[in-house]
Amino acid sequence: MDLIVGTAGHIDHGKTALVKALTGVDADRLPEEKKRGITIDIGFAELDLGAVRIGFVDVPGHERFVKNMLAGASGIDLVALVVAADAGVMPQTREHFEICRLLEIKSGLIVLTKTDLVDEELLELVRLEVAELVENSFLENAPVIAASARTGSGIAELKDILRDLALEIPARKNEIVSFLPIDRAFSVKGFGAVVTGTLVSGEISEAEELDVLPLGRRVRVRGLQTHGKSAKSVRAGQRAAVNLGGIEHADIERGMVLCAKDALRPAQIFDAEIEVLKDAKKGLKSRQRVRVHIGTIEALARVQVLNEANEIAPGEKDFVQLRLETFVVTIPNERFIIRSYSPQMTIAGGRVLDNSVNKHRRKDVENIRKRLKNHVEAEKQNDRAKQLKLFLETSEERGATRKDLQARTGWRDEILKKTIVENVEKKSIVEAESFYISRTPFENLKTKTLSEIENHHRREPLAKGILRETLREKIFAQLAPEIFKITLVHLEKENKIVAEKDYIRLAAHNLELSAEEELLREKLRKIYKNAKLEVPKLEDALNDSVGGTKSDKTHARKIFQLLINSGELVKISEEFYFANSEIESLTVKTREFASNTADRLIDVAKFKEIAGISRKYAIPLLEFFDREKITRRAGDKRLIL
Ligand SMILES: Nc1nc2c(ncn2[C@@H]2O[C@H](COP(=O)(O)OP(=O)(O)O)[C@@H](O)[C@H]2O)c(=O)[nH]1
Ligand SMILES: [Mg+2]
C-alpha cells in the first residue's frame, strides 16, 4: 500500500535530518536551503518498506513558512510530530500539531529526536510535556519513539512502527474524481511542463486528458512518475510527478489543481463548518479578513459567520460562509485551515460543506444552518443519497444536470449515476432527460401549472384550454424545456390534464353548456347546415342566432368559437365559415372531378360549376384549398393534388 507521511514540528528539531536518516534523501533541495541549513519549502523523499511504500513530505518548521507547511500538510495520511529532546515543545510544535488536528489527520506518531544530546531524566521530562500536548487528541495513544539521526538509534524501530501504522490506516475513499493539488510546476528539458503533488483521490493514467483549474486548461498526461520511477498510472495516496502536454509550466503555479476533466468547477464562495482554536486570542467575526489554506493554495477571504452573534468564540464550532478573493476548486468535506490576516497565526480549521453557493442573506441564516446541519449529518452517516438530494434542493425549480451535480459532489461518474438512480427510484428526485429536479420544487411546479390552467379555464370557459406556449411562458420561462416537458408528462400520467398538440386543459374541464347556450349552439349549427356552401357572413350569422333569445352577440361569439374548437365549423376567410361536413364533401367532389381529367387541372369557372356557388365563395374556398394542399396554383388554373 501507499501512503503519505508528513513531518511536523518546530524549526531545528531535526525533521529533515530524520527523513534523511530514514530514506537517505536530503529533502532540502533548494540552494538557499542548503546554504542556510533550514527548510524553506516542502521537500520530498521515498521509503520502500516492502508491503508499504511511503512518500515523505518534509515541511519547514519556521514560523514564517507555515504557509508552505500547509501546502504540504493537506495531502498527508499520517503525521510524524518531531520534538527535539533537548528543546521540548516549542511554538511551532503546538501550531503544527493544531493544524494536523484541525485537518483531521487520522493517524500519527511522535518522534523525540536528538536523544544523543540528553540524559534519561531530560528525555522523561519531554515525554511528559508531549503527552500533555496531545492529550485528548488523535495522537493521544500514538507511539512515541526516541531516536537520533546522528547515531541512528531508534531509526530501525521507527521504520517498523511506520509499517505497522500504515497497515492500520483505512484505504482512502474511492468516491471522488481524480484530484491533485499542485505543489510544484517546473519544466524538464526535452519533456516540457511537469507538476508534482499528492494525488488525494482517484487515479491518473498515461495519455489521459485532465483539467488544470481554476486556470481552465485541458491538458494531456504525457508521462508519470511516482517514487522516482516511471509509471503507467498513479493512485490516490501516492505522490506523483506528471508531465503535461498542451500547457507551459509558466502558466501553472502552486495552488492550482490537476483534476478529472469536465468534472469540477472553480468558485469564490463556499459554506463550511469550522472550529476556532481554544487558544485563539479572539473569536472569529463576520467581515473579518482571513487567509484560507485549502489544498496547496492560500487565498484571502472574508468570513460570514452564520449565527446570531456573528461570531464564533475560541473553542467553538459553527457554520460560516467564506467569500474568497480568488477562485478555488474544492470538494465537499475537504479540510482547510484559517489563519489571521496579520499577524499571521493559525486560528481555525474546518471542512467544506457546499462548494457552490450564492452570498447568503442574513434573514436566510436559520434555513441555511438547517441545511448545513443536514449536510454534516449525511456525511456522518455516509448517506450519499441524502447528500445528493440536499445539493439538488438548492437548485430548486431550475433543477441541475449530472455535470452540475458532479461539480457539487466531486463524485466519480459511477458513484454519481448509482446515487441518482437510487434517488429516482425512491422518488425523492425526478429525472427530466438530462436534468434532475428535487421532489418538493417539482410538486410546486405541478401545482402552479394546474392552477394556471384552471385560471385560464375560468377566464375563457369556452376555450379548448391554454396554449402550450402561453403556459410555458407564464411558468417555465426561466426553466429548461426538459422541466416543462416532464411536468406535463407527470400531470398527464396522473390524469390531471389532457395535453393536445397546441392546447392543454384540465382533464376535468368539459364544456357544459347552459340551456340557453345549448339553444344558441343549435341555432348556429342550423344556420350553417341549411346554408350549405352559400354561407352568411359571420356577423350576420351571429345576429341571426341571437334573434329571439336573451343572449347577446358576444355570447354568441363564444359559442361560435366552441364550434370552431370542436372542428364542426371551419374558418375559410375572415367573414366566411363553413360546416366541416360541407368542406369535406366539396373536397371529395373536387377530387372526383380530377380523377376524370387527364391533367387534374381546374379553373375558377369549373370549380363554381361543381360546387354550385358564385365567385364570392369560390375564390376564398380555392385559396383555402391551396393552404390545405388540396390544390396548387398552376398559372390561372389549379392542379388538384
Ligand atoms: N546531535 C544531533 N543533532 C541533530 C539530530 N538531528 C538533527 N540534528 C541537527 O539539528 C539541526 C537541525 O536539523 P534539521 O533536520 O535541519 O531540523 P529541521 O529544521 O527540523 O528540519 C542540524 O544541524 C542537524 O544536524 C540528532 O539526532 N542529533
Ligand atoms: Mg527541515
Side-chain angles (χ1 to χ4, degrees), residues 437-500:
I437 170 168
S438 182
R439 191 83 220 175
T440 313
F442 185 66
E443 292 303 325
N444 289 343
L445 268 182
K446 277 163 55 184
T447 310
K448 273 202 248 174
T449 303
L450 287 175
S451 77
E452 187 64 42
I453 304 173
E454 207 179 313
N455 285 340
H456 186 84
H457 286 327
R458 205 167 296 135
R459 281 194 307 269
E460 302 275 343
L462 299 171
K464 252 196 221 177
I466 187 167
L467 266 172
R468 185 182 282 264
E469 188 50 25
T470 309
L471 181 64
R472 196 191 65 74
E473 271 170 17
K474 285 239 159 102
I475 298 179
F476 298 86
Q478 310 299 324
L479 308 178
E482 287 90 339
I483 304 273
F484 179 40
K485 242 164 96 183
I486 199 75
T487 308
L488 296 187
V489 167
H490 277 242
L491 287 172
E492 263 196 300
K493 261 201 215 136
E494 294 162 19
N495 291 322
K496 298 249 171 65
I497 62 163
V498 174
E500 282 161 15

Side-chain angles (χ1 to χ4, degrees), residues 10-17 37 39 113-114 116-117 148-150:
H10 202 73
I11 185 167
D12 257 351
H13 277 210
K15 295 181 292 300
T16 305
T39 309
T113 55
K114 305 198 187 181
D116 57 297
L117 296 180
S148 165
R150 176 129 330 148

Side-chain angles (χ1 to χ4, degrees), residues 590-607:
T590 311
R591 287 194 169 133
E592 251 167 32
F593 167 79
S595 61
N596 293 325
T597 62
D599 53 8
R600 301 185 69 87
L601 289 173
I602 192 167
D603 58 12
V604 177
K606 195 78 210 168
F607 184 68

Side-chain angles (χ1 to χ4, degrees), residues 16 28 39 58-59:
T16 305
D28 280 350
T39 309
D58 182 36
V59 306

Side-chain angles (χ1 to χ4, degrees), residues 428-561:
S428 60
I429 72 174
V430 175
E431 187 171 14
E433 292 171 43
S434 54
F435 277 83
Y436 301 92
I437 170 168
S438 182
R439 191 83 220 175
T440 313
F442 185 66
E443 292 303 325
N444 289 343
L445 268 182
K446 277 163 55 184
T447 310
K448 273 202 248 174
T449 303
L450 287 175
S451 77
E452 187 64 42
I453 304 173
E454 207 179 313
N455 285 340
H456 186 84
H457 286 327
R458 205 167 296 135
R459 281 194 307 269
E460 302 275 343
L462 299 171
K464 252 196 221 177
I466 187 167
L467 266 172
R468 185 182 282 264
E469 188 50 25
T470 309
L471 181 64
R472 196 191 65 74
E473 271 170 17
K474 285 239 159 102
I475 298 179
F476 298 86
Q478 310 299 324
L479 308 178
E482 287 90 339
I483 304 273
F484 179 40
K485 242 164 96 183
I486 199 75
T487 308
L488 296 187
V489 167
H490 277 242
L491 287 172
E492 263 196 300
K493 261 201 215 136
E494 294 162 19
N495 291 322
K496 298 249 171 65
I497 62 163
V498 174
E500 282 161 15
K501 195 163 149 277
D502 295 328
Y503 289 91
I504 297 170
R505 64 173 168 90
L506 294 184
H509 177 75
N510 50 19
L511 301 164
E512 276 189 30
L513 302 185
S514 66
E516 185 196 329
E517 289 166 336
E518 284 282 5
L519 185 65
L520 266 181
R521 187 166 64 175
E522 276 321 299
K523 282 189 147 193
L524 282 165
R525 272 186 181 146
K526 203 172 279 167
I527 290 169
Y528 280 90
K529 196 172 159 226
N530 293 343
K532 298 215 163 127
L533 288 173
E534 307 204 271
V535 295
K537 287 185 180 168
L538 170 63
E539 295 303 313
D540 295 339
L542 293 175
N543 282 330
D544 214 7
S545 69
V546 292
T549 71
K550 282 179 281 167
S551 311
D552 61 11
K553 228 165 94 181
T554 349
H555 202 182
R557 204 181 291 276
K558 279 192 176 169
I559 302 293
F560 191 84
Q561 183 62 45

